[in-house]
Amino acid sequence: MASFTNSRAGDDRIGSLAESTGCPVETIRYYERVGLVPPPLRTQGGHRVYGPEHRDRLAFILRGRELGFSLDEIRELIGLTEQGDRACVTVEAIARSHIGSIRTRIARLTRMLEALERLARDCRRGRSPSCPILETLSAAQDGVEPRPKRPTRRAN
Amino acid sequence: MASFTNSRAGDDRIGSLAESTGCPVETIRYYERVGLVPPPLRTQGGHRVYGPEHRDRLAFILRGRELGFSLDEIRELIGLTEQGDRACVTVEAIARSHIGSIRTRIARLTRMLEALERLARDCRRGRSPSCPILETLSAAQDGVEPRPKRPTRRAN
DNA sequence: CCTTGAATCTGCAGCCACTGCAGATTTTAG
DNA sequence: CTAAAATCTGCAGTGGCTGCAGATTCAAGG
């Protein structure tokens, strides 16, 4: 039940903000530390008191995370919201580049998945004399093709 | 050209091992530090000298990583190879659980991708008065459903 | 033999996005 | 007023590397 307190209505302690947004308390504090959520007011004892603006900001961050944006990308998006809305082009650029990286990750995972499923199927059939998975991992094939000077790094 | 040295043939310094396997030098040392690659012999000056057994072990690890196994899983798989091959069932269990987690990750990424593509499409069409991506992120929907006591954590 | 430059050594800090803990303090319910 | 719950700060740890500084060693050329 909403009881009356001496704070304004809609103000939250960190616990209730956490509960209602689904974001852990520690993470909220972390977002404040890294400058994504502005520092809220405090009680005399030092407890944080959040207003609607904080709640909105946190929600923004969480939705961004759900879409897979990094905290840096989210920071950038926040910046754009704050400086007028003609930045749609920039936003789209960020989104498109993010889409690209998601596609890459999916492709990579799909390759892994296919390889593993093949191996697991062979396991099940018992076609191999010993374990085909270990065989594959131990197989003395030629090494991977040598790495280029600038090592190609890929996100897993 | 293979020139003769006073080391046994097939022995490698860390640099040539790195080049031929495609695994960065620092990563090889890291694998040694965490106990995945056994400590090699050393020259009098302290430089590492690798034999074929190290090369094989490293290759095993790299193939495992290509299949997306964690270093802990790889450690476990190494343990299994070392204690006879009747462990195929265990191997399959590890692989299957890994397959599950890959499927989950793909599903999650696919959801993100679809949502983002929809938004980016709207951007392009210019259907919205302001930027639909920022709109979505800022939208004052109801909060996420409250988190359960034991917070559901998901790998991104 | 000596010099030079490349390779390697150790140790430690940083990356991302949190997560968890200890120990102190504040708030709230009864 | 007390006891329990919530919150505070600060710091360390996660995984899997990656990068740097500064010292040392190695291999080739003169």
Side-chain angles (χ1 to χ4, degrees):
Chain A
M1 259 138 263
S3 57
F4 291 101
T5 69
N6 43 8
S7 333
R8 287 179 324 201
D11 285 0
D12 275 320
R13 293 312 180 68
I14 201 171
S16 63
L17 183 58
E19 201 183 355
S20 65
T21 56
C23 180
V25 169
E26 299 85 358
T27 304
I28 299 177
R29 280 195 289 248
Y30 169 75
Y31 287 158
E32 179 184 335
R33 208 164 61 244
V34 300
L36 281 169
V37 169
L41 295 173
R42 301 281 189 137
T43 64
Q44 297 209 306
H47 287 198
R48 293 170 177 82
V49 179
Y50 293 99
E53 68 278 25
H54 299 101
R55 162 177 294 279
D56 290 348
R57 170 62 58 88
L58 181 56
F60 186 102
I61 297 166
L62 295 176
R63 280 189 285 263
R65 294 292 298 141
E66 261 169 57
L67 291 175
F69 287 106
S70 71
L71 294 190
D72 272 351
E73 287 168 326
I74 291 173
R75 209 187 309 276
E76 210 171 341
L77 291 172
I78 288 172
L80 293 176
T81 61
E82 280 172 352
Q83 54 159 36
D85 44 353
R86 229 173 348 289
C88 194
V89 199
T90 316
V91 174
E92 208 202 327
I94 296 175
R96 294 226 167 260
S97 119
H98 188 53
I99 284 175
S101 87
I102 293 181
R103 284 225 183 87
T104 307
R105 282 151 79 194
I106 291 180
R108 186 161 156 63
L109 287 172
T110 304
R111 258 182 283 121
M112 283 181 195
L113 186 60
E114 281 163 1
L116 267 174
E117 282 181 329
R118 232 181 307 113
L119 290 172
R121 215 165 28 238
D122 292 352
C123 253
R124 184 125 296 186
R125 284 188 188 147
R127 289 214 175 282
S128 301
S130 72
C131 178
I133 295 179
L134 293 183
E135 286 294 300
T136 303
L137 290 172
S138 306
Q141 315 158 348
D142 311 81
V144 186
E145 71 251 33
R147 211 168 251 234
K149 290 272 166 70
R150 301 253 165 242
T152 24
R153 64 186 85 244
R154 57 212 160 173
N156 200 0
Chain B
M1 266 137 256
S3 59
F4 290 101
T5 70
N6 45 6
S7 333
R8 288 178 324 200
D11 284 2
D12 275 320
R13 292 312 179 69
I14 201 171
S16 63
L17 183 59
E19 201 183 354
S20 65
T21 57
C23 180
V25 168
E26 300 85 356
T27 304
I28 299 176
R29 282 196 288 248
Y30 170 74
Y31 287 158
E32 180 184 335
R33 206 164 64 244
V34 299
L36 281 169
V37 169
L41 294 173
R42 301 282 187 135
T43 63
Q44 298 210 306
H47 287 197
R48 292 170 176 82
V49 178
Y50 294 99
E53 69 277 26
H54 299 101
R55 163 176 293 278
D56 289 348
R57 171 61 59 88
L58 182 56
F60 186 103
I61 297 167
L62 294 177
R63 280 189 285 263
R65 293 258 60 209
E66 261 170 56
L67 291 175
F69 288 106
S70 71
L71 294 189
D72 272 350
E73 286 167 327
I74 291 172
R75 211 188 309 276
E76 211 171 339
L77 291 172
I78 288 172
L80 294 176
T81 61
E82 280 172 353
Q83 54 158 35
D85 45 354
R86 231 173 346 288
C88 195
V89 199
T90 316
V91 174
E92 209 203 324
I94 296 175
R96 294 227 169 259
S97 121
H98 188 52
I99 284 175
S101 87
I102 293 181
R103 284 225 184 88
T104 307
R105 282 151 78 193
I106 290 180
R108 185 162 156 64
L109 286 173
T110 304
R111 258 182 284 121
M112 282 181 195
L113 185 61
E114 281 163 2
L116 268 175
E117 282 182 329
R118 231 180 310 114
L119 290 173
R121 218 167 24 238
D122 292 353
C123 252
R124 184 126 296 187
R125 284 188 190 147
R127 291 215 174 281
S128 302
S130 71
C131 177
I133 294 179
L134 293 182
E135 285 295 298
T136 303
L137 290 172
S138 307
Q141 314 159 349
D142 312 80
V144 186
E145 72 252 32
R147 212 167 250 234
K149 290 273 166 70
R150 301 252 166 242
T152 22
R153 67 187 81 242
R154 59 213 159 175
N156 200 356

